[in-house]
């Protein structure tokens, strides 16, 4: 199931973006706050357009799952690339009707979550790698996550990629 989304992002300062998330009732976990407050997290001064694709690991050729390096290596075959990390808060604000799935998971992407596939800000195992979106108990979350580069993503995990033109 492929879903493309045309998204506008940029044009807000970090503080304005955080206020907009807060005003919209979006919840952040500790890892998301770490990323957003990092000096390495940059925002664009000008508005930009991006086309993104929501798809599963299986749908981009990995029926048994894959690691981040394996996924990166295969993206060009599908006309995809990593997303700018900055789109995550804008996408959270845009996707207000994300499906809620209450199935609990441990040490893996939560069921129903949408992970933004992006380059990590820093090459540090302890620093969060990126963001995922989740609807839990009727509340919209922008959550940061950590994983190792040898973590194997489940074939049914939904990731978001930039669709190359």
């Amino acid at each position: 199931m492929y879903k493309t989304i045309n998204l506008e992002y940029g044009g807000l300062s970090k503080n304005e973006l955080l206020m907009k998330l807060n005003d919209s009732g979006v919840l952040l976990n500790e890892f998301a706050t770490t990323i957003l407050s990092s000096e390495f997290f940059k925002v664009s001064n000008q508005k930009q357009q991006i086309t993104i694709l929501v798809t599963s690991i299986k749908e981009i050729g990995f029926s048994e799952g894959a690691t981040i390096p394996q996924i990166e290596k295969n993206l060009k075959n599908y006309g995809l690339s990593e997303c700018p990390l900055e789109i995550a808060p804008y996408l959270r604000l845009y996707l207000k009707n994300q499906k809620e799935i209450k199935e609990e998971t441990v040490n893996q992407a939560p069921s129903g979550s949408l992970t933004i596939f992006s380059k990590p800000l820093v090459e540090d195992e302890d620093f969060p790698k990126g963001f995922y979106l989740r609807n839990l108990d009727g509340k919209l979350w922008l959550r940061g996550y950590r994983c190792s580069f040898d973590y194997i993503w489940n074939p049914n995990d939904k990731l978001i990629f930039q669709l190359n033109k």
Side-chain angles (χ1 to χ4, degrees):
M1 175 190 93
Y2 298 107
K3 179 179 181 182
T4 59
I5 298 170
N6 293 310
L7 182 71
E8 182 177 272
Y9 71 99
L12 297 176
S13 70
K14 270 194 204 186
N15 284 339
E16 290 169 329
L17 191 52
L18 287 169
M19 285 183 2
K20 195 163 187 155
L21 289 167
N22 186 52
D23 291 348
S24 296
V26 172
L27 300 174
L28 306 173
N29 70 350
E30 181 182 340
F31 291 149
T33 301
T34 298
I35 294 171
L36 292 168
S37 62
S38 166
E39 64 181 297
F40 301 110
F41 181 78
K42 305 291 183 201
V43 294
S44 306
N45 293 330
Q46 297 181 2
K47 291 184 179 185
Q48 301 180 54
Q49 294 286 330
I50 188 171
T51 302
I52 56 175
L53 176 73
V54 179
T55 190
S56 70
I57 300 294
K58 183 185 339 180
E59 291 167 325
I60 58 166
F62 296 105
S63 60
E64 302 297 316
T67 64
I68 290 173
Q70 289 171 323
I71 295 166
E72 286 174 335
K73 193 174 176 182
N74 208 32
L75 288 181
K76 286 193 179 17
N77 297 337
Y78 290 89
L80 304 172
S81 58
E82 294 94 352
C83 292
L85 194 55
E86 180 186 4
I87 73 158
Y90 288 93
L91 188 59
R92 174 68 291 163
L93 292 166
Y94 176 80
L95 289 177
K96 292 183 168 66
N97 295 323
Q98 182 180 3
K99 186 175 179 184
E100 180 175 1
I101 299 178
K102 290 194 180 223
E103 181 181 316
E104 288 304 313
T105 56
V106 178
N107 294 328
Q108 60 186 355
S111 296
S113 66
L114 302 172
T115 302
I116 289 78
F117 194 81
S118 57
K119 289 222 181 274
L121 291 178
V122 294
E123 297 294 323
D124 178 350
E125 288 289 318
D126 294 325
F127 193 86
K129 293 285 184 281
F131 292 110
Y132 69 91
L133 312 179
R134 187 168 191 204
N135 180 347
L136 182 62
D137 296 327
K139 301 207 182 325
L140 297 178
W141 284 85
L142 175 63
R143 298 179 62 91
Y145 71 92
R146 291 190 314 196
C147 72
S148 65
F149 286 105
D150 60 353
Y151 171 76
I152 299 173
W153 292 83
N154 181 303
N156 295 316
D157 286 342
K158 297 285 187 203
L159 272 66
I160 296 172
F161 302 96
Q162 181 172 337
L163 190 58
N164 299 333
K165 297 182 178 184

